[in-house]
């Protein structure tokens, strides 16, 4: 891309849709593509320019569609290929883009490739997955090594037909594809990518975008969790030796389709390594989702320790944001801005407050934060109305996510059903469990929040009569209307808000307030942002030299900004003079 024609996806405001829980059009209790189509004008009005649709491919749904049995078809309850063609067309008619999920680290065990692969060691697909011989110890069969699956248990599953194990980094119904095999890679490019690019989609959100290349000597992982048979092995399968080679190869395919947006999911990666994926020169990914912010307070060892969570502090939150914004400092890279997705608890509950008295104010404050950060902005469905986590009194029977259920069952098993342990497990899931983001979108105050006229596949949040789209549309002071306003402001001041440089935090250790500045690429203007992350009034921490300069208030989530920041207040000032360094 030449400097005069910036990539379309940098300034695009994106919105993630989780099809099962978004909008049901036919009363079967499951969201669908026709339902999505019916809301495109709503999204357009909100200011959304790109939709990222989570997996709608055919799938046995062991992991909500991240286990794909056919890349070239749609999960029947979601609709048909014809519905997808219509969705693409309707988006494009309104000048919006559509991005699909690209899940190519693994397939479903019901994919035709795997069904064939598992039959014997000689078939055409025999080498398309990661097969290894058992380790025989004292005459007994064991997995090839001690790696743990990210979703609990061993990462290997035995297959009698081949007398071998196959690798699955996620659940056993998600066998890992063998990227080392060139034929496999070509099959993936044809079926998962070109098929949809030919239909006109504008890009992909790339699932587990740094896991394809493994250490194929498969060493045992060091013992990090004493006493456990299976050990976290991230360092042997994250950012592996051939990742960059394959992504370069893949870009060769994409280039035939123009400026295809590729936003990768990149957990567990240090800044210098992240830069290899996202530098404009390498063009491997357009940008990535860095996990430093959403992993705050979570156990990084893997799925079965969901109850070992804690509430992070504001300085940690600021530092995580600084790391991601810092990726752009003096580099040619680009990044993303997001606080939620389908794998995370709701941002209000995790990073702000979901107490009724402050909730709307806090939702608007987080909106200000996000809209003032540099990078491609992603909203997750329901975030625009301040949907928050399910209540603490919900039980395990209300949850559906395989990762959460595995984690709960693991605790149940280890502690023989001890009620205090189970309570701890539920408390962890209430904060970070994946179902929090997967509850039905609350459209109005009719039954089931207007999500479905039938029986919803997962419980609807109890508070839908207060928090819903229709009520917020009617209320000029609602989070929804605030989002609309601030998305437009972000576009208007794009140079500062979307593209601003030199992100700088001015109150690193303050536990209550987050103050930062960003500078116009030309250096002649900057924004000064104050965010109160507490239930109390707070003094303003002015950066040195900025207290008395002329400022223009661009936005505030409170009627009349006063001497102090009120609880959960956010203010953004535009300053046109004297950029000062230091911090
Ligand atoms: O997630 C990849 C991933 O690293 C997850 O382990 C994530 O950290 C975890 O879900 C947090 O609880 C992707 C998808 O986003 C996720 O929904 C899928 O389950 C997973 O890949 C397997 O495809
Ligand atoms: Ca439906």
């Amino acid at each position: 891309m030449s400097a005069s024609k910036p990539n379309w996806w940098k300034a695009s405001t994106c919105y993630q849709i989780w099809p099962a829980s978004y909008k049901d059009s036919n009363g079967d209790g499951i969201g669908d593509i026709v339902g999505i189509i019916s809301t495109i004008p709503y999204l357009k009005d909100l200011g959304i320019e790109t939709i990222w649709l989570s997996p709608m491919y055919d799938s046995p749904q062991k992991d909500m569609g991240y286990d794909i049995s056919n890349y070239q078809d749609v999960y029947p309850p979601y609709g048909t290929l014809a519905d997808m063609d219509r969705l693409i067309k309707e988006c494009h008619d309104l000048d919006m883009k559509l991005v699909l999920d690209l899940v190519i680290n693994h397939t479903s065990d019901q994919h035709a490739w795997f069904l064939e692969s598992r039959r014997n060691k000689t078939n055409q697909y025999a080498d398309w997955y990661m097969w290894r011989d058992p380790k025989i110890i004292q005459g007994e069969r064991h997995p090839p090594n001690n790696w743990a699956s990210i979703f609990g248990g061993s990462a290997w599953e035995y297959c009698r037909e081949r007398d071998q194990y196959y690798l699955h980094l996620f659940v056993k119904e998600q066998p890992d594809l063998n990227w080392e095999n060139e034929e496999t890679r070509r099959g993936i490019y044809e079926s998962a990518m070109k098929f949809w690019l030919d239909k006109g989609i504008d890009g992909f959100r790339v699932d587990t975008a740094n896991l394809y290349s493994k250490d194929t000597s498969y060493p045992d992982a060091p013992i990090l969790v004493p006493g456990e048979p299976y050990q976290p092995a991230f360092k042997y399968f994250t950012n592996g030796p051939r990742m960059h080679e394959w992504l370069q190869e893949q870009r060769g395919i994409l280039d035939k389709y123009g400026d295809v947006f590729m936003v990768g999911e990149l957990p567990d990666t240090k800044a210098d390594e992240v830069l290899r994926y996202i530098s404009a020169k390498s063009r491997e990914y357009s940008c990535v989702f860095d996990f430093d912010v959403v992993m705050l307070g979570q156990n990084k060892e893997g799925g079965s320790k969901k109850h070992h969570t804690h509430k992070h502090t504001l300085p940690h939150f600021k530092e995580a944001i600084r790391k991601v914004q810092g990726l752009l400092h003096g580099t040619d890279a680009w990044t993303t801005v997001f606080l939620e997705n389908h794998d995370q608890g709701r941002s209000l509950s995790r990073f702000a407050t979901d107490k009724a008295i402050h909730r709307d104010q806090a939702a608007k404050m987080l909106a200000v934060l996000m809209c003032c950060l540099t990078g491609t902005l992603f909203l997750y469905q329901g975030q625009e109305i301040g949907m928050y986590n399910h209540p603490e009194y919900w039980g395990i029977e209300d949850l559906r996510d395989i990762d959460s259920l595995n984690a709960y069952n693991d605790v149940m098993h280890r502690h023989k059903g001890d009620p205090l342990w189970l309570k701890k497990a539920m408390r962890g899931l209430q904060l970070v469990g994946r179902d929090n983001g997967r509850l039905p979108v609350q459209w109005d105050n009719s039954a089931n929040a207007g999500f479905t006229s039938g029986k919803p596949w997962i419980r609807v949040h109890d508070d839908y009569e207060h928090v819903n789209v229709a009520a917020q549309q009617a209320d000029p002071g609602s989070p929804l209307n605030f989002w609309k306003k601030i998305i437009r402001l972000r576009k208007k001041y794009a140079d500062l808000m979307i593209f601003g440089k030199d992100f700088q935090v001015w109150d690193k250790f303050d536990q209550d307030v987050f103050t930062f500045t960003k500078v116009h690429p030309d250096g002649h203007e900057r924004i000064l942002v104050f965010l109160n992350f507490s239930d109390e009034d707070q003094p303003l921490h002015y950066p040195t030299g900025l207290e008395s300069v002329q400022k223009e208030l661009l936005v505030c989530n409170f009627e009349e900004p006063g001497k102090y920041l009120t609880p959960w207040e956010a203010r953004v000032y535009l300053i046109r003079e004297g950029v000062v360094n230091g911090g």
Side-chain angles (χ1 to χ4, degrees):
M1 280 298 120
S2 70
S4 55
K5 190 166 174 279
N7 308 91
W8 64 265
W9 35 264
K10 285 192 173 169
S12 195
T13 309
C14 310
Y15 186 94
Q16 182 189 352
I17 292 183
W18 181 253
S21 308
Y22 185 67
K23 181 91 183 110
D24 176 21
S25 72
N26 60 356
D28 66 354
I30 303 172
D32 46 54
I33 296 158
V34 172
I36 296 172
I37 293 172
S38 72
T39 71
I40 294 179
Y42 163 74
L43 296 176
K44 178 83 188 172
D45 181 52
L46 175 58
I48 301 305
E49 298 161 290
T50 298
I51 293 173
W52 151 24
L53 179 56
S54 284
M56 75 302 150
Y57 308 99
D58 205 5
S59 158
Q61 304 288 326
K62 296 289 178 199
D63 183 22
M64 293 301 296
Y66 283 94
D67 49 324
I68 297 170
S69 53
N70 185 352
Y71 291 105
Q72 298 173 207
D73 208 349
V74 176
Y75 177 51
Y78 292 161
T80 61
L81 282 174
D83 292 335
M84 282 303 293
D85 288 335
R86 225 186 102 209
L87 177 63
I88 296 167
K89 181 168 187 309
E90 304 252 346
C91 286
H92 290 169
D93 283 353
L94 285 183
D95 205 18
M96 290 164 76
K97 310 272 190 191
L98 182 68
V99 165
L100 299 184
D101 229 294
L102 184 64
V103 190
I104 50 181
N105 174 69
H106 44 267
T107 66
S108 160
D109 65 347
Q110 299 306 306
H111 193 293
W113 298 340
F114 188 76
L115 291 175
E116 191 61 22
S117 187
R118 66 171 303 148
R119 282 183 42 226
N120 52 48
K121 294 181 189 169
T122 52
N123 67 77
Q124 195 198 334
Y125 295 94
D127 194 31
W128 280 48
Y129 293 83
M130 309 300 252
W131 294 101
R132 283 293 178 284
D133 290 334
K135 201 192 245 174
I136 305 293
I137 307 171
Q138 292 172 341
E140 266 188 60
R141 192 182 66 222
H142 290 273
N145 66 25
N146 68 351
W147 293 6
S149 151
I150 293 170
F151 287 161
S154 168
W156 297 94
E157 181 71 12
Y158 182 67
C159 166
R160 201 172 318 115
E161 291 93 321
R162 290 182 59 140
D163 187 29
Q164 281 187 314
Y165 284 83
Y166 65 85
L167 179 73
H168 61 90
L169 296 183
F170 296 91
V171 292
K172 69 177 194 309
E173 294 88 353
Q174 289 168 305
D176 280 57
L177 283 157
N178 180 15
W179 274 73
E180 303 281 338
N181 182 349
E182 195 192 327
E183 224 178 283
T184 312
R185 298 202 299 278
R186 257 188 277 123
I188 294 169
Y189 301 150
E190 286 297 327
S191 185
M193 302 173 75
K194 286 188 189 171
F195 177 80
W196 289 99
L197 289 164
D198 285 334
K199 284 184 173 293
I201 63 148
D202 303 284
F204 291 105
R205 172 271 185 183
V206 188
D207 190 58
T208 55
N210 57 348
L211 303 188
Y212 313 155
S213 171
K214 282 90 178 171
D215 181 336
T216 48
S217 68
Y218 292 104
D220 271 333
I223 310 297
L224 294 180
V225 204
E228 291 296 316
Y230 308 116
Q231 297 290 326
F234 290 97
K235 70 169 173 175
Y236 298 113
F237 58 72
T238 309
N239 307 313
R242 298 188 67 188
M243 268 318 304
H244 299 287
E245 173 198 333
W246 295 334
L247 292 178
Q248 297 288 343
E249 174 182 277
Q250 186 175 290
R251 187 47 86 171
I253 309 269
L254 297 170
D255 271 343
K256 305 196 178 79
Y257 295 89
D259 190 13
V260 176
F261 182 33
M262 296 292 278
V263 48
E265 183 200 27
L266 211 75
D268 214 30
T269 304
K270 295 205 171 58
D272 53 342
E273 181 69 27
V274 176
L275 285 169
R276 292 187 63 189
Y277 290 96
I278 59 174
S279 98
K281 216 171 289 131
S282 84
R283 300 172 62 252
E284 293 177 8
Y285 292 126
S286 315
C287 48
V288 295
F289 295 117
D290 188 288
F291 274 48
D292 287 68
V293 177
V294 293
M295 281 309 286
L296 285 169
Q298 295 205 53
N299 181 322
K300 294 199 177 96
E301 275 169 16
S304 65
K305 295 282 168 58
K306 278 274 184 311
H307 51 297
H308 290 171
T309 55
H310 62 272
K311 193 92 182 179
H312 62 277
T313 66
L314 186 60
H316 283 124
F317 182 75
K318 294 182 214 180
E319 174 50 24
I321 288 181
R322 195 210 51 77
K323 174 199 158 182
V324 180
Q325 294 288 295
L327 293 170
L328 307 179
H329 195 79
T331 70
D332 63 351
W334 190 243
T335 190
T336 56
V337 180
F338 76 105
L339 291 178
E340 293 187 14
N341 63 36
H342 62 288
D343 290 334
Q344 303 296 334
R346 290 286 185 175
S347 56
L348 263 184
S349 308
R350 291 188 62 201
F351 307 122
T353 179
D354 56 18
K355 277 189 231 156
I357 165 168
H358 296 306
R359 204 164 49 220
D360 281 5
Q361 200 67 7
K364 294 184 232 174
M365 188 270 283
L366 290 180
V368 172
L369 165 64
M370 292 181 76
C371 286
C372 286
L373 293 177
T374 295
T376 300
L377 177 68
F378 282 85
L379 269 167
Y380 181 70
Q381 65 184 33
Q383 191 175 359
E384 74 275 24
I385 54 169
M387 283 179 65
Y388 60 97
N389 281 1
H390 65 74
E392 280 170 22
Y393 55 78
W394 280 25
I396 192 70
E397 67 285 357
D398 295 316
L399 304 185
R400 297 285 175 272
D401 168 37
I402 182 83
D403 184 26
S404 304
L405 299 181
N406 283 355
Y408 185 89
N409 288 332
D410 184 63
V411 173
M412 167 81 91
H413 185 74
R414 280 168 199 268
H415 302 287
K416 305 190 175 56
D418 184 297
L420 283 189
W421 272 108
L422 292 178
K423 195 169 153 196
K424 216 188 240 297
M426 276 314 288
R427 202 176 308 131
L429 292 177
Q430 196 276 331
L431 189 63
V432 300
R434 306 201 296 182
D435 281 323
N436 283 301
R438 302 175 179 190
L439 306 184
V441 170
Q442 294 149 209
W443 292 102
D444 57 41
N445 65 6
S446 68
N448 298 318
F451 160 68
T452 178
S453 58
K455 187 175 164 350
W457 70 276
I458 188 170
R459 184 168 173 175
V460 175
H461 198 295
D462 306 57
D463 202 18
Y464 72 88
E465 288 183 29
H466 292 110
V467 181
N468 65 65
V469 171
Q472 295 203 9
Q473 278 173 327
D475 171 8
S478 66
L480 177 63
N481 281 314
F482 189 82
W483 266 108
K484 257 197 223 179
K485 179 169 112 177
I486 193 147
I487 287 172
R488 280 160 183 80
L489 194 77
R490 178 173 157 90
K491 300 294 277 195
K492 179 169 169 201
Y493 292 95
D495 283 340
L496 280 161
M497 292 175 135
I498 306 178
F499 295 101
K501 314 186 307 178
D502 298 344
F503 173 88
Q504 192 162 0
V505 179
W506 294 87
D507 50 4
K508 206 170 154 195
F509 298 109
D510 196 306
Q511 299 277 348
D512 305 299
V513 182
F514 185 178
T515 308
F516 66 88
T517 51
K518 272 173 47 185
V519 181
H520 191 290
D522 295 346
H524 62 281
E525 278 180 348
R526 84 188 105 167
I527 45 170
L528 167 60
V529 182
F530 293 106
L531 308 166
N532 182 355
F533 276 77
S534 81
D535 288 356
E536 287 154 35
D537 285 357
Q538 298 290 344
L540 277 76
H541 186 126
Y542 272 99
T544 322
L546 289 189
E547 194 148 9
S548 48
V549 299
Q550 272 247 300
K551 308 178 261 299
E552 181 189 331
L553 182 72
L554 289 186
V555 65
C556 176
N557 63 346
F558 194 72
E559 308 94 67
E560 196 54 50
K563 178 165 180 222
Y564 299 123
L565 295 169
T566 55
W568 305 98
E569 182 174 328
R571 283 185 208 178
V572 183
Y573 290 107
L574 173 65
I575 299 177
R576 293 208 162 82
E577 51 185 282
V579 171
V580 196
N581 294 311

